[in-house]
Amino acid sequence: KPNLATGKAANASIEQGEFPAASAVDGSLNSMWNSGGQAPQWIEIDLGGPAVISEVRLYVSQSPAGNTEHELSASRDGGNYNVIHTFSGPTDDGLTLEFIPANPLEGYRFLRVRTLLSPSWVAWKEIEVVGTYE
């Protein structure tokens, strides 16, 4: 199944000039979105239409290593968000966090990753949303 996030519109709580939100959905692990700030920070992707989401992968950009908490939420309309998963525990640069729901999530257009706790700046190398459009 394709990565629905590649090349889609991305927004973030804040962006560093050379590390824009769009870099988290450009299909490359050699670029990244970097907020340049401490938690809490968020990044949001507009998938462009309602999707059936079967997996979400987050490619960690982090230094130093340490305990983090990331809240994954989804929205049908860009306003009302439902928390669909929380990642909590030690993470380090280069790690991949994966969420595979028991049943595919249907009808969601927006995905938000909100970092609540991190020892480093908040950044992601890439965010992948695997699924199909409805």
Side-chain angles (χ1 to χ4, degrees), residues 83-94:
V83 176
I84 55 173
H85 188 72
T86 300
F87 296 99
S88 189
T91 50
D92 194 3
D93 193 61

Side-chain angles (χ1 to χ4, degrees), residues 108-123:
Y108 289 109
R109 174 174 172 168
F110 300 89
L111 190 81
R112 181 179 285 176
V113 182
R114 193 161 163 254
T115 299
L116 304 170
L117 175 70
S118 178
S120 100
W121 65 82
V122 177

